[in-house]
Amino acid sequence: MTEKTTQAMKKPQKHTFVRDLLILTLAMFIGGGGWALFLLPNHIPLGGLAGFSSILWWGFKIPVSASFIGTNIILLGFALRILGWRFCLKTIYSATVFSLFADTIQTWYAASTLLNDQPFMAAILGGGCLGVSVGLCLSYQGSTGGTDVIAAMVNKYHDISLGKVIMLVDIMVVSSCYVVLQDWEQVLYGYVVLFVSSICVDKVVNMMRQSVQFFIISEKYEEIGRAINEKVLRGCTTISGNGFYSGRDVKMLFVLARQNESRKIFQTIESIDPNAFVSQSAVIGVYGLGFDKFKAKRTKSVKNKKKLTEDTSNSQQAAIHQA
């Protein structure tokens, strides 16, 4: 991989930020619609700041947009140093658009209630909409705020499922809704929302982060590798091999890329060598430049080993000093 390609992989492109904002807007429309259409009218609680805003609306008629945005600003003040200004800026944008969509849809459909006699189905649809919304936000380095921010801070340093973190934190919020609703049946529907949304979050995040690997055998491997470096901005590794049947020495390219880059790689290969032999397979977890960052903590055994090494070194120095 050339130095120019490496710098291009590190430097975010301008159109990427615009694309992220468009996807975040779509995600907020889905989440805000699910909240305003299915959950709020049916008095189904949910977790996070959205759940807290729901409690304030049901109990004190405080507009959900005002309480949702206000509490998000306070929380992002603590997250700024950990997650960075870009994440916080996207979160502020997402929270604002989310609350505006929810407030507008709630006003439009104030006189009607979808699935009024089917609260379980309303919980399923509302939880699905919120899960897809949160999953899209986290996949594009943003969030709707609230527990999403807490989950993002935890996931930055620990390889823990985002959906599980959100669900565990939100259980306490949903349970507290009983104080206002005075109905355990509604609280149980809130648990259904959490379960469905957490599954959708993990499904969407894993789908968006899915990576693939390619093994490419071609006599024009140098030209293909150079094109993948420059056009797809992905690195290639050359592996020497030998054809068992032909007995000839061959060169094979090994490439790791995102799932959405597969079509571009195939087009690049076909334009150079239509007769190339290509193998593609899905991989679980790719870490390094251009992919995810390592999040694993040092294990206790590694720390003990380091301490043992230091103690041994100190003992040796003491013995040398005494000698």
Side-chain angles (χ1 to χ4, degrees):
M1 189 189 309
T2 63
E3 183 178 353
K4 181 179 179 182
T5 303
T6 305
Q7 294 298 328
M9 293 176 63
K10 290 182 179 179
K11 185 178 180 181
Q13 299 178 1
K14 293 181 179 180
H15 75 273
T16 302
F17 188 74
V18 177
R19 179 205 62 187
D20 291 352
L21 290 182
L22 292 176
I23 294 179
L24 290 177
T25 303
L26 174 62
M28 292 307 97
F29 178 77
I30 296 174
W35 185 25
L37 290 176
F38 303 115
L39 303 181
L40 278 176
N42 291 284
H43 291 81
I44 299 177
L46 66 159
L49 294 185
F52 178 71
S53 300
S54 300
I55 295 175
L56 295 180
W57 167 252
W58 292 326
F60 307 100
K61 296 301 178 181
I62 298 177
V64 292
S65 57
S67 58
F68 188 75
I69 295 176
T71 48
N72 262 308
I73 293 176
I74 297 175
L75 183 60
L76 287 174
F78 296 97
L80 180 61
R81 183 176 180 180
I82 298 176
L83 301 177
W85 68 268
R86 189 180 295 272
F87 177 89
C88 292
L89 182 62
K90 289 182 179 180
T91 301
I92 293 174
Y93 171 79
S94 301
T96 303
V97 174
F98 181 87
S99 60
L100 290 177
F101 275 137
D103 200 29
T104 303
I105 295 175
Q106 185 185 20
T107 303
W108 284 352
Y109 293 90
S112 62
T113 301
L114 289 179
L115 303 176
N116 189 26
D117 57 341
Q118 302 181 54
F120 182 76
M121 183 59 66
I124 295 293
L125 294 177
C129 290
L130 289 174
V132 171
S133 175
V134 173
L136 286 174
C137 283
L138 294 174
S139 298
Y140 287 88
Q141 306 303 314
S143 79
T144 56
T147 47
D148 306 350
V149 177
I150 298 175
M153 288 190 288
V154 173
N155 187 257
K156 183 178 178 67
Y157 300 105
H158 306 278
D159 194 11
I160 302 176
S161 167
L162 292 170
K164 291 180 180 178
V165 175
I166 294 173
M167 183 175 65
L168 291 175
V169 176
D170 287 351
I171 284 177
M172 296 185 293
V173 179
V174 172
S175 300
S176 64
C177 290
Y178 178 77
V179 178
V180 175
L181 299 176
Q182 296 294 316
D183 187 353
W184 280 113
E185 183 178 354
Q186 297 299 113
V187 175
L188 290 177
Y189 288 134
Y191 293 146
V192 173
V193 172
L194 295 184
F195 180 75
V196 173
S197 62
S198 65
I199 292 178
C200 291
V201 168
D202 285 338
K203 291 294 183 181
V204 172
V205 170
N206 292 335
M207 180 181 66
M208 299 304 296
R209 293 182 177 177
Q210 185 176 359
S211 301
V212 293
Q213 67 180 15
F214 291 87
F215 287 102
I216 307 167
I217 300 177
S218 171
E219 295 181 355
K220 301 179 180 179
Y221 69 93
E222 291 184 348
E223 189 176 350
I224 294 175
R226 192 176 301 109
I228 292 176
N229 279 175
E230 296 175 355
K231 295 181 180 180
V232 190
L233 300 181
R234 287 298 177 188
C236 301
T237 300
T238 304
I239 301 175
S240 299
N242 182 268
F244 184 82
Y245 178 78
S246 63
R248 295 187 305 166
D249 293 332
V250 296
K251 294 291 185 180
M252 180 169 57
L253 294 177
F254 173 67
V255 183
L256 286 170
R258 295 291 189 187
Q259 176 68 42
N260 55 12
E261 297 171 331
S262 299
R263 183 178 180 181
K264 195 171 183 179
I265 291 177
F266 276 117
Q267 290 176 344
T268 301
I269 297 172
E270 185 180 13
S271 64
I272 298 174
D273 185 5
N275 297 320
F277 184 83
V278 183
S279 171
Q280 177 190 0
S281 58
V283 294
I284 302 176
V286 180
Y287 302 92
L289 179 61
F291 294 92
D292 298 328
K293 295 182 179 180
F294 291 100
K295 302 171 186 175
K297 294 172 61 179
R298 291 189 304 172
T299 60
K300 187 175 181 180
S301 59
V302 173
K303 294 181 179 179
N304 292 337
K305 183 177 180 180
K306 182 178 179 181
K307 187 175 183 300
L308 179 62
T309 303
E310 292 177 351
D311 292 342
T312 304
S313 177
N314 292 335
S315 299
Q316 291 176 349
Q317 292 178 1
I320 294 174
H321 181 69
Q322 290 177 358

